[in-house]
């Protein structure tokens, strides 16, 4: 799955229930590019997961720890964050996982001379 949230400090990853299998999954977004540009003025990104319509989000566990708020990497760098999430509806619980990329498309500083 890919998501593109260029310069958004609070992106939301939407989840859906597949009509044919009944399983929960992340909704596919547009292709990722440089997600943080030189126009971005913040230093952190807060990611949240949106449950499917009619479902409740019970838990999100970030593999690297934390609460879904991450520092913006240095210019030219990219950080990947894996996670699992659990949703429920009427006594049915489902868990899925994914990964979230924060890529700073700024120009890295020149090497020391």
């Amino acid at each position: 799955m890919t998501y593109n949230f260029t310069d958004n400090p609070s992106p939301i990853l939407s989840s859906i229930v597949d009509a044919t299998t009944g399983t929960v999954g992340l909704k596919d977004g547009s292709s990722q590019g440089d997600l943080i540009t030189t126009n971005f003025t913040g230093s952190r990104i807060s990611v949240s997961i949106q449950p499917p319509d009619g479902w409740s989000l019970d838990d999100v566990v970030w593999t690297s720890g934390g609460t879904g708020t991450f520092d913006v990497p240095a210019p030219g760098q990219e950080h990947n964050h894996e996670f699992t999430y659990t949703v429920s509806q009427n006594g049915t619980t489902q868990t899925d996982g994914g990964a979230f990329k924060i890529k700073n498309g700024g120009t890295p500083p020149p090497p020391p001379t």
Side-chain angles (χ1 to χ4, degrees):
M1 297 295 164
T2 58
Y3 303 92
N4 198 342
F5 64 93
T6 303
D7 292 340
N8 182 348
S10 303
I12 298 170
L13 306 182
S14 298
S15 59
I16 58 172
V17 175
D18 185 295
T20 56
T21 63
T23 58
V24 69
L26 293 170
K27 184 177 179 183
D28 203 9
S30 57
S31 296
Q32 286 186 306
D34 292 340
L35 304 182
I36 304 299
T37 71
T38 54
N39 295 326
F40 188 75
T41 58
S43 61
R44 298 177 70 95
I45 301 290
S46 293
V47 182
S48 59
I49 311 297
Q50 179 179 342
D53 288 340
W55 292 70
S56 298
L57 180 66
D58 296 334
D59 191 31
V60 179
V61 176
W62 295 93
T63 304
S64 58
T67 61
T69 299
F70 305 102
D71 291 333
V72 172
Q77 298 293 307
E78 175 180 305
H79 292 171
N80 292 295
H81 303 280
E82 294 181 0
F83 61 91
T84 58
Y85 64 98
T86 303
V87 296
S88 64
Q89 179 189 55
N90 301 327
T92 299
T93 301
Q94 292 197 39
T95 299
D96 191 35
F100 182 78
K101 173 174 77 172
I102 302 174
K103 182 178 181 183
N104 189 336
T107 305
T113 56

